[in-house]
Amino acid sequence: MPLNNKYLNMELIDGKKVSETIKQQIAAEVEQIKARGEKVPHLAAILVGNDGGSVTYVNNKVKACEQCGFVSTLKTFDENISEETLLKTVEEFNNNDDIDGFIVQLPLPKHIDSQKVIESINPNKDVDGFHPMNVGKMMIGLPCFKSATPAGILELLKFYNIETAGKHCVIIGRSNIVGKPMSVLLSQKGWDCTVTLCHSRTKNLEQVCASADILIAALGTPGFVKADMVKEGAVVIDVGTTRVPAPEIPRGWRLKGDVLFDEVAPKCSYITPVPGGVGPMTICSLMINTLQAAKGKKA
Amino acid sequence: MPLNNKYLNMELIDGKKVSETIKQQIAAEVEQIKARGEKVPHLAAILVGNDGGSVTYVNNKVKACEQCGFVSTLKTFDENISEETLLKTVEEFNNNDDIDGFIVQLPLPKHIDSQKVIESINPNKDVDGFHPMNVGKMMIGLPCFKSATPAGILELLKFYNIETAGKHCVIIGRSNIVGKPMSVLLSQKGWDCTVTLCHSRTKNLEQVCASADILIAALGTPGFVKADMVKEGAVVIDVGTTRVPAPEIPRGWRLKGDVLFDEVAPKCSYITPVPGGVGPMTICSLMINTLQAAKGKKA
């Protein structure tokens, strides 16, 4: 890794590598399932409309299923689909015993009540972990499907044997899919961080961030975290994935994280790059949840 | 209030007064409901066994129902009741349209799976807010029944117009019924605290506490918070209610909070006493939730 030569004390957290490793482990387990003549895990996805990002995400999920040896089903709808038809499909998937878990790719068109759709999913098949039953169980510390990004970050910390107990973890951003669940998970027994959850109303944010042993940036503002906000030796996890214009490359955009990588990395003990850090772990978590769903357990 | 004379800059948070005020407001609303000839709110409680604390709590809840003008039903069972019989009663209460909300007083005897019982309650009648559906909705920021103690603390902050936005709130204790939900609620929009959740594995706890604008002690260790852990002018909320032996009074015990009141109070801008601070608010929250359940809305 050339970066490790440049920043001697820093280790790059390679989400792509971790994700590939976990998918290979899953694939090996699926081979054994097949060898025993048991049912192969089956993930289904519902995609409404043809938003570029959503299409890419869903295709990547289908591809990950192939890598893991899962069966996958993709059901697509025109963006004008009625809420009723969508709910009917959810109900079909709930009742289809062959489907172990499924997702409804978000965002949905404005005329559809997303929360209603999420709550119509059988919590035991809700491998995205967005159903309030799963969120509530996560909060209480019960077995559940954890939402993909926070669960993926936990996998990264585990893979790199990063000590969390008693560490001060500062999270920037209080979203329902990253900041809030991350704060709950890292506070729980086994992880045992002292977590401070920051947001747009936080005062002295720079100072709070600079006190973090583990800093998780999940606010979606490219380059927000600068070197003076990071303590020497900190672990920095960058959840930001904003598309910024990049006319110099054919697709015209590139992903930018919330952390100014070049100036922050030299101060870190560990840091995730963007892309290739947290991003690949999201789909990996979905695969873990699907395997657990197939085994009748929650991750 | 003699205390205000002694500690000139400190205001005592009078939970008893706030609770009585809110119950009077509820009673007035129930009078209007009756005047319109509509159904009066009905809270039911299930009590298993005769644990002294539980009997007292349930009786206080029944008394609060009377004060609010609610109908109340108390169903008691011998501690040897089977889980099946208890679940059957929960089902009856779920299906009884006259009952707007009900609680199963905890703790339950060891041979009964408490979590299973909680999850068998219809979330729309779960006025204790312990069902994962309500916990999950609280986490996501959706309308729900909030658990009593955190909701009661929010009522106290509201009643005394205590500014929370941008304040650093430190919570000691990560329990499912106080610390965790409190951290989520105070982080949310509208309250906007920067919350740090501390627990037994937290390092430099004294220092972290001393940085708090709002300090919430919910660990259950009498007298844990001392003056040097509190910033001058802080708001201190004491959730501790440990029974300590007190042979000098007839009942033989008294309640002690987590805060060493006498030495901490002079440094505070606001502080809750024990008893008479957070305690009375818990039942008050239950009354608020029951009224909301009767109105078909969640608090």
Side-chain angles (χ1 to χ4, degrees):
Chain A
M1 242 176 288
L3 273 161
N4 281 351
N5 298 330
K6 189 170 166 200
Y7 309 126
L8 272 177
N9 299 313
M10 187 273 287
E11 188 166 355
L12 196 67
I13 295 180
D14 186 343
K16 226 173 149 181
K17 185 182 80 181
V18 179
S19 160
E20 292 305 322
T21 306
I22 293 176
K23 281 188 283 189
Q24 280 162 20
Q25 289 165 351
I26 295 175
E29 195 167 338
V30 171
E31 280 307 317
Q32 292 177 347
I33 291 173
K34 280 184 186 164
R36 290 196 301 269
E38 294 169 11
K39 184 187 163 304
V40 169
H42 179 177
L43 175 69
I46 299 174
L47 174 64
V48 179
N50 45 16
D51 169 77
S54 292
V55 171
T56 307
Y57 288 135
V58 166
N59 286 338
N60 287 341
K61 288 168 189 175
V62 169
K63 203 158 47 172
C65 282
E66 284 162 20
Q67 291 177 282
C68 293
F70 294 172
V71 176
S72 69
T73 299
L74 174 57
K75 181 121 182 173
T76 57
F77 288 106
D78 183 89
E79 63 171 352
N80 295 319
I81 185 189
S82 71
E83 186 179 283
E84 200 193 337
T85 308
L86 181 57
L87 289 172
K88 213 174 277 175
T89 305
V90 168
E91 198 49 34
E92 272 170 38
F93 282 15
N94 283 338
N95 296 329
N96 183 337
D97 286 342
D98 197 69
I99 295 174
D100 298 300
F102 66 99
I103 61 158
V104 180
Q105 183 66 41
L106 301 178
L108 290 170
K110 287 208 177 102
H111 67 281
I112 294 176
D113 179 345
S114 300
Q115 193 59 33
K116 191 173 170 185
V117 173
I118 289 169
E119 291 183 25
S120 71
I121 299 173
N122 177 343
N124 296 322
K125 294 192 175 189
D126 167 45
V127 284
D128 256 344
F130 291 157
H131 193 289
M133 268 302 275
N134 281 312
V135 177
K137 287 184 172 181
M138 184 209 65
M139 176 88 175
I140 300 167
L142 297 172
C144 64
F145 296 121
K146 295 178 188 75
S147 67
T149 305
I153 293 170
L154 295 183
E155 291 292 337
L156 289 177
L157 296 172
K158 206 159 67 179
F159 192 92
Y160 284 89
N161 280 313
I162 294 172
E163 179 65 40
T164 55
K167 301 293 180 191
H168 186 208
C169 172
V170 173
I171 299 170
I172 319 173
R174 54 180 162 178
S175 71
N176 283 329
I177 59 167
V178 185
K180 279 198 253 175
M182 194 75 262
S183 78
V184 166
L185 290 166
L186 281 172
S187 293
Q188 274 170 358
K189 277 179 191 156
W191 297 97
D192 295 307
C193 282
T194 301
V195 179
T196 301
L197 183 59
C198 298
H199 45 76
S200 54
R201 302 295 299 270
T202 295
K203 286 179 188 159
N204 308 317
L205 181 63
E206 291 77 8
Q207 204 180 315
V208 178
C209 290
S211 77
D213 302 309
I214 301 171
L215 180 62
I216 301 180
L219 70 161
T221 305
F224 182 85
V225 175
K226 295 166 190 71
D228 59 2
M229 292 165 74
V230 177
K231 186 162 80 175
E232 201 71 44
V235 175
V236 173
I237 307 289
D238 189 349
V239 188
T241 49
T242 308
R243 288 186 180 191
V244 297
E248 72 280 12
I249 55 173
R251 69 175 175 200
W253 55 266
R254 63 173 79 241
L255 288 182
K256 262 205 99 176
D258 290 345
V259 177
L260 261 191
F261 187 90
D262 285 342
E263 66 171 66
V264 169
K267 296 185 81 175
C268 298
S269 55
Y270 294 90
I271 186 169
T272 60
V274 173
V278 174
M281 295 306 297
T282 304
I283 289 183
C284 184
S285 300
L286 182 65
M287 298 298 117
I288 294 173
N289 282 351
T290 303
L291 180 63
Q292 296 299 336
K295 292 158 89 177
K297 289 187 244 165
K298 286 152 198 170
Chain B
M1 248 176 285
L3 274 161
N4 281 351
N5 298 330
K6 191 171 166 201
Y7 309 125
L8 272 176
N9 299 313
M10 187 273 288
E11 188 167 355
L12 196 67
I13 295 180
D14 187 344
K16 224 172 149 184
K17 184 181 82 182
V18 178
S19 160
E20 291 304 322
T21 306
I22 293 177
K23 281 188 283 187
Q24 280 162 19
Q25 289 166 349
I26 294 175
E29 196 167 339
V30 172
E31 280 307 315
Q32 293 177 346
I33 290 173
K34 281 184 187 168
R36 290 196 301 269
E38 293 169 12
K39 184 187 160 307
V40 170
H42 180 178
L43 174 68
I46 299 174
L47 174 64
V48 179
N50 45 16
D51 170 78
S54 293
V55 171
T56 306
Y57 287 135
V58 167
N59 285 338
N60 287 340
K61 288 168 187 175
V62 170
K63 201 155 53 172
C65 281
E66 285 164 18
Q67 289 177 285
C68 292
F70 293 173
V71 174
S72 69
T73 299
L74 174 57
K75 182 123 181 172
T76 58
F77 287 106
D78 183 87
E79 64 171 350
N80 296 319
I81 184 188
S82 71
E83 187 178 282
E84 201 194 337
T85 308
L86 181 56
L87 289 171
K88 212 173 279 176
T89 305
V90 168
E91 197 51 35
E92 272 170 38
F93 282 16
N94 282 340
N95 295 328
N96 183 338
D97 285 342
D98 196 69
I99 295 173
D100 298 299
F102 66 98
I103 60 158
V104 179
Q105 182 66 42
L106 300 179
L108 290 170
K110 287 206 177 108
H111 67 279
I112 294 176
D113 180 346
S114 300
Q115 194 57 34
K116 192 173 169 186
V117 173
I118 289 168
E119 291 183 24
S120 71
I121 298 172
N122 177 344
N124 295 323
K125 293 192 176 190
D126 167 46
V127 284
D128 256 344
F130 290 157
H131 193 290
M133 269 301 275
N134 280 311
V135 177
K137 287 184 172 181
M138 182 207 67
M139 176 88 175
I140 300 166
L142 296 173
C144 64
F145 295 121
K146 295 179 188 76
S147 67
T149 305
I153 293 170
L154 295 183
E155 290 292 337
L156 289 177
L157 296 172
K158 203 160 67 179
F159 192 92
Y160 284 88
N161 281 312
I162 293 170
E163 179 65 40
T164 55
K167 300 294 178 189
H168 185 208
C169 172
V170 173
I171 299 170
I172 320 173
R174 53 180 162 177
S175 72
N176 283 330
I177 58 167
V178 185
K180 278 197 256 177
M182 194 78 258
S183 79
V184 167
L185 289 167
L186 281 172
S187 293
Q188 273 170 359
K189 277 181 189 153
W191 297 97
D192 295 307
C193 282
T194 302
V195 179
T196 301
L197 183 58
C198 298
H199 45 77
S200 54
R201 303 294 300 269
T202 294
K203 286 179 190 160
N204 308 318
L205 181 63
E206 290 76 8
Q207 206 180 312
V208 178
C209 290
S211 77
D213 301 310
I214 300 171
L215 179 62
I216 301 180
L219 70 161
T221 304
F224 182 87
V225 176
K226 295 167 189 70
D228 58 3
M229 293 164 73
V230 176
K231 185 162 82 174
E232 201 71 46
V235 175
V236 174
I237 307 287
D238 188 349
V239 187
T241 50
T242 308
R243 288 186 179 189
V244 296
E248 71 281 10
I249 54 172
R251 69 175 176 200
W253 55 267
R254 65 174 78 242
L255 288 181
K256 261 203 99 178
D258 289 346
V259 177
L260 261 190
F261 187 89
D262 285 342
E263 67 172 67
V264 170
K267 295 183 83 175
C268 298
S269 56
Y270 293 89
I271 186 170
T272 60
V274 174
V278 174
M281 295 306 297
T282 304
I283 289 183
C284 184
S285 300
L286 181 65
M287 298 299 115
I288 293 172
N289 282 351
T290 303
L291 180 63
Q292 295 298 335
K295 291 157 89 176
K297 289 186 246 165
K298 286 152 200 171

